[in-house]
Amino acid sequence: MKNFFSNLRGDIFGGLTAGIVALPLALAFGVSSGMGPSAGLYGAIFISFFAALFGGTNTQISGPTAPMTAVSMVVVTSILAFNDGDFEKALPAILMVFLMAGLVQIGLGLVGIGKYIRYIPYPVVSGFMTAIGIIILVTQILPLVGYYPKEDMALVDQYRPMAQESILRKILKEESRESMLVLEDFQETIDRSEEVSEENILKEAKALAGKDTSGVMGAINMLPRALQHINWLELALAFGTIVIIYGFKKITTSLPSALVALLVVSGVAYGLGLDYRSIEQIPGGFPIIHFDMFTQFRLDSITPYVFTAFTLALLGAIDSLLTSVVADNMTKTQHRPNRELIGQGIGNSIAAFFGGLPGAGATIRTVVNINAGGKTKLSGMVAGVLLLTVLLALGPVASKIPAAVLAGILVTVGIGVIDYKGLKAIPFLPRDTKIGPFKVSSEVIIMLVVMVLSTVWNLVYAVGVGLVLASLMFMKKMGDLTAERSDVKTLEQEKGWADEAAFPESLKRKVFIKHLKGPLFFGFTSEFQQLAKQIPRSASTVIIRMDRMQYLDQSGLYTLEDVLIDLKNSGIEVLFVGLLEQPRYMMERVRLIPSLISENRIFIDFKACTAYLKSNLDQTVDVSKEN
């Protein structure tokens, strides 16, 4: 407890500064997710407080972030569509997915996964982050110009026939579930369909219009129509916000430019009495716990999103631990990765109970906290308390913020999220993979595949595809590299290793040596078989040097067994030199040793192997003359 308050003044100032920076972003991320500004604010409050309290990075400031919001947007949109666009009906399932993501993070921390997060390939992360930036930019085009498809009645009217059909399908589905849909009761179905009001048809048509115009492709499809219905006031407010954010940074960085832009543009718009669109009403008072996520729980409504919840948890883990590394570099400290995952999981789980958006460690906010003097967990907790105070005291005031201001803030966030470092490196990365007649960089392929699939298809699946693709290409590279370095030649053809220099000349024509200079694993098995076929069946002995073969997997083990059987059937004696611990263990498990290779054919070094050959290979050789 003494250490907790050891930097009281610095932590309070750092937490207050970070909380001020977080406020406009929390509201903007909430709106972008489709859950409303209050969800972003709730997420920032609870994640910041509890992730700091239970986490493993003292200076970390957590809350909704651009990547987490982008994936949350997918969850919200999908579950809304499953629930016919009814947000209140969909909310329990949405929050249950967020809760599952938090619990998965806790589990990852408890089993010690934190230290392995660093093995996520950079091209996957780069492509994903660039896609996040593109998604945010494209999806903000419509609110940027003040066009909202659900309010375009000419567009909504086009969906009325589909809305009536959709409502009828729901009636049939409901009656089928209630076992009412039989021939004699069909008149009741007709009666119920005739009772459908214009209000319900309009609501369903708006839901369908919103579904078709959501996401990147929906925004692109609506762009021509949006440009015909530009609200110049909304566009001016958004543009003014962007100009202030970038312009104020050139004047000073002591104040967060996003907050300055929010206050200035909102103040001007409200003060002049402009007829602008404000954000959704932020409920006053302390957030309520959503017990309905349990009382209205339906397994079929969240089962399709279990993988999404896991991806959300993994993304939050990566995002948080990368920020922890930044904090370590700035403070010269060492974070505890598994403890950090547990803290993030607790924060996300509690936020889900209160209807908050999931989040992760936020790099900008963490850097601001450190620069302002924050050094302990108290700083993150102070940031959460500040945001709670804003919610309780200024909720009605915050509800007057123009929606265009938050769109402008999100545009700058999208521009900042794009991984320009990775994009700039594309022309300079080595072209190590051949596709048809062209040589390309495997890392560029992975980056572009993840970026394109994330943007136009599905963020969750795109990351999975990227990881699989990166793994396959890595295995191919390792197999090619091992094959390139490992060859089968006589000692007269190959430049031997240093300890082979004194090998008797008379034996060089009879002995073939196989140098294994890397792991024998499933990515190298086919090449190993091809190299083994190079050994002429006229050879009397083959030495397989395993000094540098540190690893042997099951595929490599059985391939090696096949090669040894083939050589044995050809009457060729096989000797092992420098067999290491792990490969020996694998061979002993399947009785390859001693069934195919006896202990007296395994030598600790090449000198011992040479001594054996001198005395046993060819009794006609006068070995004494060689020495």
Side-chain angles (χ1 to χ4, degrees):
M1 186 63 69
K2 181 179 179 181
N3 292 333
F4 198 77
F5 295 103
S6 61
N7 185 49
L8 186 61
R9 181 178 178 182
D11 288 335
I12 291 176
F13 190 68
L16 291 175
T17 307
I20 290 171
V21 173
L23 176 61
L25 296 175
L27 295 172
F29 288 139
V31 171
S32 177
S33 71
M35 293 184 66
S38 56
L41 198 53
Y42 296 162
I45 290 168
F46 293 107
I47 299 171
S48 179
F49 187 90
F50 288 103
L53 178 61
F54 295 105
T57 310
N58 288 340
T59 54
Q60 181 105 290
I61 303 294
S62 303
T65 62
M68 294 292 281
T69 301
V71 178
S72 300
M73 190 192 312
V74 174
V75 175
V76 173
T77 303
S78 301
I79 297 181
L80 268 176
F82 185 80
N83 288 274
D84 310 315
D86 189 334
F87 183 76
E88 293 301 322
K89 185 179 176 183
L91 185 59
I94 293 171
L95 297 182
M96 181 59 74
V97 172
F98 292 165
L99 175 61
M100 288 167 55
L103 295 176
V104 169
Q105 283 185 322
I106 295 174
L108 292 176
L110 291 175
V111 300
I113 297 295
K115 60 184 177 181
Y116 297 108
I117 297 295
R118 64 180 182 270
Y119 295 116
I120 301 294
Y122 177 79
V124 175
V125 176
S126 176
F128 181 80
M129 295 305 293
T130 299
I132 293 295
I134 294 172
I135 290 170
I136 292 174
L137 288 173
V138 174
T139 54
Q140 291 308 305
I141 291 177
L142 301 187
L144 198 71
V145 299
Y147 177 75
Y148 296 87
K150 291 183 181 181
E151 298 176 4
D152 184 352
M153 295 311 300
L155 176 67
V156 171
D157 286 341
Q158 297 176 17
Y159 285 88
R160 282 180 175 271
M162 288 177 279
Q164 291 174 317
E165 181 183 347
S166 176
I167 292 173
L168 181 57
R169 287 180 181 275
K170 291 175 190 175
I171 292 174
L172 294 173
K173 185 177 180 181
E174 182 179 343
E175 293 191 349
S176 175
R177 189 183 299 121
E178 295 172 358
S179 301
M180 291 175 55
L181 194 59
V182 292
L183 188 60
E184 57 267 24
D185 293 327
F186 200 70
Q187 183 60 45
E188 183 175 346
T189 303
I190 296 173
D191 294 340
R192 292 178 64 179
S193 66
E194 290 176 349
E195 293 174 4
V196 175
S197 65
E198 275 296 315
E199 182 182 352
N200 289 336
I201 294 174
L202 179 61
K203 181 181 178 181
E204 184 67 19
K206 286 185 176 182
L208 292 173
K211 178 182 176 182
D212 283 356
T213 58
S214 64
V216 172
M217 299 310 298
I220 292 174
N221 291 334
M222 281 293 103
L223 184 57
R225 190 176 184 90
L227 294 178
Q228 295 173 5
H229 297 79
I230 296 178
N231 184 319
W232 295 102
L233 173 60
E234 299 288 324
L235 180 60
L237 293 175
F239 183 73
T241 302
I242 295 170
V243 170
I244 292 175
I245 288 175
Y246 286 120
F248 195 79
K249 287 180 180 179
K250 296 182 179 180
I251 300 173
T252 179
T253 56
S254 58
L255 288 174
S257 60
L259 180 66
V260 173
L262 183 145
L263 294 175
V264 171
V265 178
S266 300
V268 170
Y270 183 76
L272 295 179
L274 300 179
D275 184 20
Y276 63 86
R277 178 192 178 93
S278 61
I279 63 175
E280 297 176 20
Q281 186 72 27
I282 298 177
F286 198 87
I288 61 171
I289 298 178
H290 288 262
F291 290 111
D292 54 353
M293 63 193 294
F294 298 105
T295 59
Q296 299 181 23
F297 175 76
R298 284 174 52 197
L299 185 62
D300 62 330
S301 65
I302 65 166
T303 302
Y305 307 104
V306 171
F307 181 65
T308 305
F310 183 83
T311 304
L312 196 60
L314 191 61
L315 175 61
I318 297 170
D319 210 359
S320 299
L321 295 182
L322 288 176
T323 301
S324 296
V325 172
V326 173
D328 286 348
N329 291 334
M330 293 183 68
T331 60
K332 309 303 178 186
T333 57
Q334 182 65 48
H335 74 281
R336 289 173 289 177
N338 294 318
R339 176 77 177 269
E340 182 61 34
L341 292 186
I342 294 172
Q344 292 292 332
I346 292 174
N348 280 314
S349 299
I350 294 176
F353 277 106
F354 289 94
L357 201 62
T363 305
I364 302 271
R365 280 159 266 178
T366 300
V367 170
V368 166
N369 175 43
I370 294 171
N371 289 336
K375 290 184 179 179
T376 75
K377 295 172 178 291
L378 184 61
S379 58
M381 298 167 68
V382 168
V385 171
L386 171 67
L387 293 172
L388 178 61
T389 304
V390 170
L391 172 68
L392 298 177
L394 301 175
V397 176
S399 298
K400 302 296 182 181
I401 296 172
V405 171
L406 297 187
I409 291 173
L410 284 170
V411 166
T412 63
V413 170
I415 294 172
V417 166
I418 293 174
D419 182 30
Y420 299 101
K421 181 180 178 181
L423 294 175
K424 289 178 181 177
I426 288 178
F428 308 104
L429 292 174
R431 300 182 179 184
D432 53 2
T433 301
K434 194 171 183 180
I435 299 181
F438 305 104
K439 291 199 72 175
V440 296
S441 169
S442 59
E443 295 184 335
V444 172
I445 292 174
I446 296 167
M447 185 191 307
L448 294 179
V449 166
V450 173
M451 183 181 72
V452 172
L453 292 182
S454 297
T455 304
V456 302
W457 182 39
N458 186 294
L459 281 165
V460 177
Y461 297 152
V463 172
V465 170
L467 289 173
V468 171
L469 190 59
S471 300
L472 291 174
M473 288 192 170
F474 172 76
M475 290 182 290
K476 183 180 183 303
K477 278 185 184 179
M478 292 300 98
D480 291 345
L481 181 61
T482 306
E484 180 182 335
R485 296 174 60 188
S486 303
D487 203 354
V488 180
K489 299 177 181 176
T490 65
L491 278 178
E492 292 179 322
Q493 297 172 299
E494 180 179 12
K495 182 179 179 181
W497 291 357
D499 57 357
E500 298 168 358
F503 196 71
E505 288 293 332
S506 60
L507 298 182
K508 288 183 179 181
R509 291 182 292 273
K510 300 182 178 183
V511 176
F512 277 70
I513 294 183
K514 174 76 178 79
H515 290 131
L516 284 177
K517 304 175 184 177
L520 181 53
F521 70 115
F522 62 91
F524 176 54
T525 52
S526 61
E527 286 83 357
F528 179 75
Q529 288 175 322
Q530 292 300 318
L531 292 172
K533 290 178 181 178
Q534 297 177 16
I535 301 173
R537 292 306 178 254
S538 59
S540 61
T541 304
V542 172
I543 301 173
I544 301 181
R545 298 212 58 176
M546 299 183 169
D547 314 55
R548 303 178 190 178
M549 190 188 79
Q550 304 91 344
Y551 178 75
L552 175 70
D553 74 352
Q554 191 172 12
S555 299
L557 176 66
Y558 292 133
T559 301
L560 178 62
E561 182 180 36
D562 291 341
V563 169
L564 292 177
I565 291 172
D566 183 50
L567 293 175
K568 183 177 181 180
N569 291 338
S570 299
I572 300 175
E573 183 180 31
V574 179
L575 309 178
F576 284 177
V577 174
L579 182 59
L580 300 178
E581 182 179 356
Q582 191 274 344
R584 173 184 277 272
Y585 175 83
M586 291 290 289
M587 294 179 196
E588 288 175 346
R589 292 307 90 190
V590 298
R591 303 293 294 171
L592 190 151
I593 298 175
S595 297
L596 293 176
I597 297 291
S598 59
E599 287 289 351
N600 62 356
R601 298 295 186 271
I602 302 173
F603 303 95
I604 191 170
D605 54 31
F606 194 72
K607 183 178 179 181
C609 180
T610 303
Y612 168 82
L613 289 171
K614 286 180 178 180
S615 59
N616 294 280
L617 180 62
D618 191 348
Q619 299 298 328
T620 64
V621 177
D622 187 357
V623 177
S624 63
K625 292 181 180 180
E626 296 290 335
N627 298 324

